[in-house]
Amino acid sequence: MRASGVPSTLALSLFITFAPPTQAALDQLTLPALISPRAAQSMLLGVALAGERIVAVGERGIIVHSDDRGASWTQADVPLSATLTAVHFPTPEKGWAVGHDGVVLHTSDGGITWRKQLDGNRTNAMALEAATEKEQAVRAAGDPDALTRAELALDDARAASKFGPSRPLLSVWFKNETEGFAAGSYGLLLRTTNGGADWALWSDRIHNPDGFHFNAITATPAGTLLIAGEAGHVHRSLDGGITWQSLPTGYKGQLYGALGVRNASGGEDLLAFGFGGNLFRLPAGAKDWAPVPSGTAKNLTGGLLHHGEPVLIAQDGQLLLGSDHGRRFKPVAGVPLPAAAIAPAPGGSGVAVSGIGGVKLVGIVHRTQEAKP
């Protein structure tokens, strides 16, 4: 049994919609995003830097970019109108965006133009093929219990294929312009090693028998890959995503992100954050997570490192600045919008926050900076 249903934080509840594949829904994969003069003020669920350019993605396939720190925005031509949930640029030119209907988009010019690489129809076909092959292999091996599980997985794959491209991708991360991952609902994990020309199902690399959602994937400064997900689960890979270890926090709710923070000894502690302001820390070498007071009861929808310390964004737009290697947090100037995602601001002076109403930039001053003459 699943511990909980669809993610309920603002950033997730706004864009996870599971509905039968009507003609209108299928048209989202072929109907280009509508060009609108108010695109930059729409619901933007993901934001990233492409060099010094800000790129944000959101509802109805909208992608906008700014080269002047948000003073003006240009809407990109996008070949589909499915809601987009996340975006990542490993280089200033090469970037990927993901979203509803299992879509993956790619740009080679810093977010100006985009093309589709993958959608949920293809992912469903891949999953059905994999489930069929596994069921046949298990049947030949003659293990009754394993066969029951394989048959159930095959039934699920068949149902998903008939249902249509309904499973959204929620996060994307690329190591460089060739190697990357996309993660999403019901434990969907995809990997590419050739810049998205081909994608492989990677879900079975993680022990996730209940099909819990993978809400966010990222890398720590030390190169560890982290996936934060449903039912308080964090998954960690130390070998670039080939193998994964599950690190349950003991919390049963949604986690919407994870970070790696250097500690005083030079090691790397882990932070995981999510629903209701819940925040947890796993010291380097430890087995058990410990709760950390976040100072808010609002959902924590995103986070990043700024000058080595974590900065978290809450659903109500409140920024929380970490200190003492992320052991303590205090509220700092936030943004006047319901917030979904956070990224570094151009020049490294602060952060860019996206949500309902667009993208806002805010500067951040650390205590060490305040003490300087």
Side-chain angles (χ1 to χ4, degrees):
M1 294 291 292
R2 293 171 61 82
S4 56
V6 175
S8 55
T9 192
L10 172 72
L12 301 183
S13 64
L14 287 173
F15 58 63
I16 298 185
T17 304
F18 299 98
T22 63
Q23 185 62 42
L26 293 177
D27 284 345
Q28 292 178 356
L29 296 178
T30 57
L31 181 66
L34 179 67
I35 300 298
S36 168
R38 294 189 56 80
Q41 288 78 50
S42 63
M43 182 174 65
L44 299 176
L45 299 170
V47 62
L49 275 188
E52 292 297 293
R53 172 179 293 156
I54 307 172
V55 180
V57 305
E59 61 178 335
R60 304 189 306 276
I62 289 174
I63 300 181
V64 294
H65 53 85
S66 174
D67 291 321
D68 53 13
R69 296 181 56 85
S72 62
W73 295 87
T74 301
Q75 185 178 358
D77 289 326
V78 178
L80 49 79
S81 54
T83 290
L84 302 172
T85 58
V87 60
H88 183 248
F89 282 82
T91 74
E93 296 80 23
K94 300 292 182 70
W96 283 263
V98 298
H100 274 200
D101 295 342
V103 301
V104 178
L105 295 174
H106 175 55
T107 179
S108 296
D109 55 13
I112 296 175
T113 59
W114 296 81
R115 63 180 181 87
K116 186 179 73 172
Q117 287 188 330
L118 186 71
D119 62 41
N121 289 315
R122 175 57 186 149
T123 302
N124 284 343
M126 292 161 57
L128 180 57
E129 180 181 0
T132 300
E133 292 178 353
K134 185 171 184 178
E135 190 270 347
Q136 293 172 347
V138 172
R139 183 179 296 278
D143 184 336
D145 292 336
L147 180 58
T148 297
R149 293 191 296 270
E151 288 174 337
L152 289 173
L154 180 55
D155 288 342
D156 286 345
R158 286 169 175 162
S161 183
K162 292 179 180 179
F163 199 73
S166 59
R167 292 188 295 175
L169 290 168
L170 307 177
S171 185
V172 61
W173 175 85
F174 268 71
K175 177 182 179 180
N176 49 43
E177 60 184 43
T178 59
E179 302 174 62
F181 289 88
S185 60
Y186 300 115
L188 181 59
L189 184 64
L190 303 168
R191 179 178 183 249
T192 181
T193 57
N194 59 6
D198 300 289
W199 291 85
L201 281 174
W202 220 246
S203 304
D204 61 357
R205 300 297 180 107
I206 297 179
H207 182 68
N208 185 28
D210 293 302
F212 290 130
H213 303 311
F214 295 153
N215 295 329
I217 182 169
T218 190
T220 72
T224 298
L225 290 183
L226 299 174
I227 293 177
E230 190 178 5
H233 284 273
V234 176
H235 307 281
R236 174 175 65 185
S237 176
L238 303 175
D239 56 9
I242 304 302
T243 61
W244 293 83
Q245 174 190 15
S246 294
L247 305 172
T249 61
Y251 172 60
K252 300 304 181 184
Q254 295 286 347
L255 295 175
Y256 301 124
L259 296 170
V261 182
R262 291 288 186 186
N263 58 35
S265 301
E268 188 172 66
D269 300 343
L270 303 184
L271 292 175
F273 52 87
F275 181 80
N278 280 281
L279 175 62
F280 304 92
R281 184 185 191 89
L282 182 67
K287 295 182 179 180
D288 297 322
W289 296 80
V292 177
S294 68
T296 183
K298 300 295 184 180
N299 301 338
L300 298 171
T301 60
L304 49 71
L305 296 182
H306 188 264
H307 295 292
E309 289 286 2
V311 178
L312 306 178
I313 184 68
Q315 173 181 322
D316 61 355
Q318 178 67 65
L319 282 169
L320 304 171
L321 177 60
S323 61
D324 190 20
H325 306 282
R327 288 180 173 82
R328 288 185 289 273
F329 287 81
K330 69 170 184 177
V332 295
V335 294
L337 52 82
I342 188 171
S349 60
V351 296
V353 178
S354 69
I356 296 178
V359 177
K360 303 295 182 184
L361 273 64
V362 58
I364 294 178
V365 177
H366 292 265
R367 288 175 180 150
T368 55
Q369 294 172 308
E370 292 172 345
K372 293 180 180 181

